[in-house]
Amino acid sequence: MADGMSARNGVSSAPSHLPIPAFDPPRKPKRNKYALACSFLASMTSILLGYDIGVMSGAIIYIRKNIHMTDVQKEVIMGILNLYSLLGSAAAGRTSDCRYTIIFAGAIFFAGALLMGFATSYAFLMVGRFVAGIGVGYALMIAPVYTAEVAPASTRGFLTSFPEVFINFGILLGYVSNYAFSKLPTNLGWRFMLGIGAIPSVFIAIAVLAMPESPRWLVMQGRLGEARTVLDKTSDSPEESKLRLAEIKEAAGIPEHCNDDIVAVPKQHHGEGVWRELLLRPTPAVRHILMCAVGIHFFQQASGIDSVVLYSPEIFKRAGITKDTEQLLATMAVGFTKTVFILVATFLLDKIGRRPLLLSSVGGMVASLVGLGLGLTIVENSDHKMVWAIALCISTVLSFVAFFSIGMGPITWVYSSEIFPLRLRAQGCSMGVAMNRVTSGVISMTFISLYNAISIGGVFFLYAGIAAVAWVFFYTFLPETQGKTLEEMETLFGTFYKWRSTLRALNEKKREGDRQVQMRNATSSSKEQNQS
């Protein structure tokens, strides 16, 4: 009727009168630069762990020449930092939303790096590893949780992958440091390699002063005005900011009508009962979330990544590369490959999704581990140098770290930090980190003993089997979480291997809501044009 009346009045009834843009899919919001900067600064703490892993792989060559130690002592000194970091992670569990905890982590690692650099004995070196491990534990806990809580849903995968990016960058720095100081006298070279790690912690502590507090931490302290300001800056739209604040207030037990800048927060919402809800009386959703978070952390390390990264020189030596400098150069190639592919992964997480990247990554890791085990077995049982087998070992090490970095590496931290509901996030993530560090410690502290028992090729066949089990676990139990708000996660979990039907229902409900909004916009636009 409106079109007919327009035509009779001499007004064209061309399609331009129809509010076509209202039916277009919503435009993807531009990347939030403020949230990007906050995530970048918080994630810089992960350099500390990466540097320690990378630098120890080469420094141990020269430490053994200067400080006598057995193979078992070598394993322990290489992997013990992972177990020490558990104490730091446990302590950070209740304070992981506070930016000043990051400064504290940097200060602890600074002291640990100096202690390791000045070590004169195995016991002295172990003390330095202990102190540095506490700092690493804090950093591991803080970065992914903080980033998940400042990131808008549209770019959460991209931003939450930053900690893994910086771990890889730290590993590369450690490898470069090994090669740079390898020409110094033996008693000085490894000290510079370890001690120079104190420098990044200073810059990190200074940079963190520019970060705001986590909006969720601010709400938990009753500082709604400050939380509102941070959310306005880190959200894609004012509507999203208001929605996020309302969800956080609800989780914190603050009434919806309470909008003062400073409010009182019920004491029971500061962490009491969280462990009971996580471990003793979990709902099906919480049980599913916890299983996925702990499982993905376990398989990330059980598939052998730390053995490859920490013992790269040893692996290349077993593959037939005998000179120290050549081993370090090959190891630098490992660090470079990891860094390049983790950068690729950051741009794919919010486009492709978690599951496709994770399953492709783990499948490639299985194939690479089988190839590496085969190459090392051939070299070990050959009485002459086989160039093609050496090339196979090098190429499969590089492909293994590449596949790991494009999926398994970053997604572990992204996934585990985004699936827990607010009230359980800090403690739930601390359990995932604890599993990660324990598994890493066991793997790295048993590598030499294991290959002495079943051959070095056999070790990588074992890791390949574990990675294959991981693929089945991920395919069965881990739902896709791309684009879901943090508070939608609890709806998605709880049906375990039947999660696909829940996801379909959730997506259909979302599409229906989008259609209704578009129809309302179209109707409103049409009325406005008819009135004009």
Side-chain angles (χ1 to χ4, degrees), residues 55-286:
V55 80
M56 277 303 292
S57 69
I60 196 66
I61 298 173
Y62 304 99
I63 293 173
R64 292 197 73 176
K65 295 177 181 178
N66 198 224
I67 298 177
H68 176 72
M69 63 179 74
T70 64
D71 282 345
V72 173
Q73 287 177 320
K74 176 185 174 181
E75 286 179 318
V76 170
I77 206 70
M78 295 283 275
I80 196 65
L81 181 134
N82 296 302
L83 300 184
Y84 289 153
S85 68
L86 285 175
L87 299 176
S89 294
R94 291 180 62 85
T95 60
S96 59
D97 298 308
C98 181
R99 64 188 174 125
Y100 291 106
T101 310
I102 300 177
I103 299 175
F104 185 55
I108 297 174
F109 189 85
F110 178 88
L114 290 182
L115 285 171
M116 289 189 291
F118 286 108
T120 55
S121 65
Y122 184 84
F124 197 158
L125 189 60
M126 186 66 80
V127 171
R129 299 292 281 166
F130 173 78
V131 176
I134 300 296
V136 164
Y138 268 89
L140 273 176
M141 182 63 203
I142 296 161
V145 174
Y146 179 93
T147 304
E149 295 188 348
V150 299
S154 62
T155 55
R156 192 173 59 244
F158 173 73
L159 298 180
T160 316
S161 66
F162 276 18
E164 185 69 16
V165 172
F166 280 102
I167 287 176
N168 282 272
F169 183 63
I171 289 171
L172 181 58
L173 286 180
Y175 289 160
V176 171
S177 176
N178 287 336
Y179 187 75
F181 294 113
S182 63
K183 305 297 182 183
L184 292 177
T186 302
N187 65 326
L188 290 178
W190 66 268
R191 298 181 188 281
F192 275 97
M193 294 174 191
L194 297 177
I196 207 77
I199 294 177
S201 62
V202 175
F203 289 105
I204 290 168
I206 295 171
V208 162
L209 293 174
M211 288 166 46
E213 294 285 7
S214 156
R216 286 169 174 79
W217 185 83
L218 289 170
V219 171
M220 290 296 189
Q221 305 305 308
R223 293 153 62 178
L224 292 188
E226 295 174 61
R228 191 179 298 112
T229 301
V230 175
L231 285 169
D232 286 343
K233 292 180 178 179
T234 58
S235 298
D236 290 329
S237 66
E239 292 75 18
E240 183 187 7
S241 174
K242 292 176 183 177
L243 179 62
R244 290 171 71 185
L245 181 60
E247 290 170 338
I248 298 168
K249 284 167 62 179
E250 182 182 357
I254 299 174
E256 184 179 354
H257 60 81
C258 236
N259 291 309
D260 296 335
D261 287 348
I262 303 293
V263 300
V265 181
K267 290 184 178 181
Q268 65 268 25
H269 290 279
H270 281 277
E272 291 80 355
V274 168
W275 291 111
R276 185 185 305 111
E277 188 173 352
L278 270 174
L279 300 176
L280 300 180
R281 297 177 182 175
T283 63
V286 171

Side-chain angles (χ1 to χ4, degrees), residues 247 283-286 288-289 418-421 423 479-481 484-496 498-507 509:
E247 290 170 338
T283 63
V286 171
H288 188 184
I289 288 170
E418 72 183 356
I419 60 178
F420 282 103
R423 66 188 181 279
E480 179 60 70
T481 58
K484 303 294 184 293
T485 64
L486 293 171
E487 280 69 25
E488 282 178 330
M489 296 300 172
E490 211 166 351
T491 304
L492 189 58
F493 288 82
T495 51
F496 298 93
K498 297 179 180 178
W499 60 266
R500 290 167 180 80
S501 58
T502 305
L503 181 60
R504 283 194 295 270
L506 195 61
N507 288 337
K509 183 179 179 181

Side-chain angles (χ1 to χ4, degrees), residues 491-529:
T491 304
L492 189 58
F493 288 82
T495 51
F496 298 93
Y497 64 90
K498 297 179 180 178
W499 60 266
R500 290 167 180 80
S501 58
T502 305
L503 181 60
R504 283 194 295 270
L506 195 61
N507 288 337
E508 181 57 36
K509 183 179 179 181
K510 192 172 184 179
R511 284 193 294 270
E512 182 61 31
D514 291 341
R515 283 195 294 268
Q516 292 177 1
V517 169
Q518 290 169 8
M519 291 298 295
R520 283 197 297 269
N521 291 340
T523 303
S524 176
S525 298
S526 179
K527 287 180 180 179
E528 289 175 1
Q529 290 186 12

